[in-house]
Every structure is written in structure tokens, then in C-alpha cells.
Amino acid sequence: ETGVTQTPRHLVMGMTNKKSLKCEQHLGHNAMYWYKQSAKKPLELMFVYNFKEQTENNSVPSRFSPECPNSSHLFLHLHTLQPEDSALYLCASSQGINYGYTFGSGTRLTVV
Amino acid sequence: KNEVEQSPQNLTAQEGEFITINCSYSVGISALHWLQQHPGGGIVSLFMLSSGKKKHGRLIATINIQEKHSSLHITASHPRDSAVYICAVLSRLPLQNFGNEKLTFGTGTRLTIIP
């Protein structure tokens, strides 16, 4: 365990479903991130939260909706996804620009 | 063209061999990360460096800021080193506030060490 916990580890959902991914860290980090990793592509930054405030939305479709209720928890709400949204979704946290990142184990999402 | 290029994309070697993975980038950076991703998907941070060289056990990372190039070396490689190694560069987003930085990732190098 890295200190960043993601649930669930695997998720299969239909295109009409609504589901949520959860990320939790108790490292005292103030910044949390959602990344998407598709096959044979680099990790893509989706959202950044800094002190619970969203500071970056990297042109992500509205069918992905993040929520950060406090600095330890980060959610990614999913609705009406497309098959091309199937990917590994990784959460990370950091203490600041001069510090390293800690990643979770990811949620492997399959949209059918 | 990706802002971060890694080579090789795939590398297979015998146990005990000296391994080198290269990373070149085209943007100004604050720091460079080397990450390790095992088949389960989780990513572990190996190094963060902004100059010179760092060593941890059998792993060595170097960076040349002028040439915009970094290398990750593994000495006395072992099958448990088999993983995808990812280079990522940290650069600031337009806003200068805390947390407004961006990691740009390479596509990774898949390393397989054969016993």
C-alpha cells in the first residue's frame, strides 16, 4: 500500500449506469489528482484539486464529474460513459511542487 | 510528437544485465520523475530529480538539463525488476500558485528480465 487507496480495483459498467470511483489518502497531502491511462498512451491528467479547490480541468467531458469533499477524499462520478472511456483511472496526491507524487493502485474501468 | 519520449519502448534482457532506459523531453521543467508500474496497475515513484544523479539500491537516475535528457539505470537486473518504467516531467501551469503544476508522461518502457 502506498498510502493512497482507490476503490474499487475493477469496475464494469454499462453505458447507461452511474458509478463513482473513490480515492483516499491520509498522508497529509494538499493536492490530489485524477489521471487516465489508456492502452499504449501516456497518462493523461484529468483533474487537479488543491486544498479542496479544483485548479485544473483538463478539457475532460462532462460525463466525468469530480468531487473533493475534503483534502483526504477524492471522487470521480461517472455517468453515460462510452466504451472508449475504458481505461485505468489513477489517483495521486502530493504535498507540493517540490515533493514527489504518491499514486494509488488504480481502478480498471470497462464500459460495455 | 509527444513532449516526453522514452526509448526503448520494449526491452528484454537476461538476469544480471545492466539496463539503461532513456527519456528526452522538449519542454522546460521543474523536475523529472521516474516511476515504476507493475502489471497490477499501481505506480510507485522511484526518483524525483532536477539535476545531477540519484542512486537508490541498484537503481541510478541521471539528468542533463541542458540536453533535456535523463536516463534510468538498473545494475544486476533481476526478474522482479520486470515492469513498465515511466518518465514524467513536471512543469508549471500558467498560474503560479501552489498545486498548479503538471506532470507530462512518456508512454513507458516495458522491461522484461528473463531468469
Side-chain angles (χ1 to χ4, degrees):
Chain A
E1 281 296 330
T2 63
V4 176
T5 303
Q6 287 188 243
T7 53
R9 291 295 305 272
H10 300 272
L11 177 62
V12 179
M13 60 186 287
M15 289 191 284
T16 58
N17 291 160
K18 288 186 180 180
K19 296 286 184 184
S20 296
L21 310 185
K22 180 182 176 183
C23 176
E24 185 173 351
Q25 60 92 7
H26 295 287
L27 301 169
H29 292 173
N30 295 314
M32 295 186 76
Y33 311 82
W34 278 117
Y35 287 93
K36 175 184 178 182
Q37 187 179 37
S38 303
K40 300 190 187 300
K41 292 174 69 175
L43 275 80
E44 303 168 58
L45 177 66
M46 300 176 72
F47 300 105
V48 180
Y49 274 82
N50 173 27
F51 289 103
K52 302 187 298 177
E53 297 294 324
Q54 187 180 122
T55 57
E56 178 74 2
N57 175 342
N58 208 27
S59 302
V60 180
S62 59
R63 57 186 184 270
F64 294 91
S65 173
E67 179 190 0
C68 189
N70 54 63
S71 56
S72 298
H73 294 87
L74 185 65
F75 295 89
L76 187 62
H77 304 299
L78 316 171
H79 65 98
T80 59
L81 294 192
Q82 304 297 312
E84 60 263 29
D85 296 321
S86 299
L88 180 69
Y89 289 84
L90 287 153
C91 173
S93 68
S94 75
Q95 199 172 334
I97 193 168
N98 294 319
Y99 298 87
Y101 283 61
T102 302
F103 285 85
S105 298
T107 295
R108 187 160 297 281
L109 173 68
T110 304
V111 181
V112 297
Chain B
K1 184 171 161 63
N2 203 22
E3 291 177 331
V4 180
E5 296 282 347
Q6 287 186 237
S7 62
Q9 288 188 335
N10 294 282
L11 177 58
T12 301
Q14 291 290 131
E15 182 175 355
E17 285 190 41
F18 181 81
I19 303 299
T20 296
I21 299 171
N22 295 300
C23 176
S24 297
Y25 53 92
S26 57
V27 295
I29 69 169
S30 304
L32 183 144
H33 292 255
W34 280 104
L35 309 167
Q36 180 191 56
Q37 185 173 31
H38 280 282
I43 292 177
V44 175
S45 179
L46 299 175
F47 296 103
M48 184 178 78
L49 64 165
S50 54
S51 65
K53 175 179 171 179
K54 286 192 176 180
K55 184 176 189 294
H56 181 71
R58 295 180 295 104
L59 301 178
I60 303 166
T62 63
I63 188 169
N64 185 318
I65 296 294
Q66 287 73 30
E67 294 185 3
K68 296 188 174 179
H69 181 269
S70 175
S71 293
L72 177 68
H73 305 285
I74 305 175
T75 61
S77 59
H78 190 276
R80 65 175 174 268
D81 298 325
S82 299
V84 175
Y85 292 84
I86 302 171
C87 170
V89 299
L90 188 66
S91 54
R92 283 198 182 268
L93 295 169
L95 290 177
Q96 297 300 305
N97 298 326
F98 168 84
N100 282 83
E101 69 274 7
K102 176 184 176 183
L103 268 182
T104 303
F105 295 81
T107 51
T109 294
R110 184 174 299 278
L111 174 66
T112 304
I113 303 297
I114 301 170

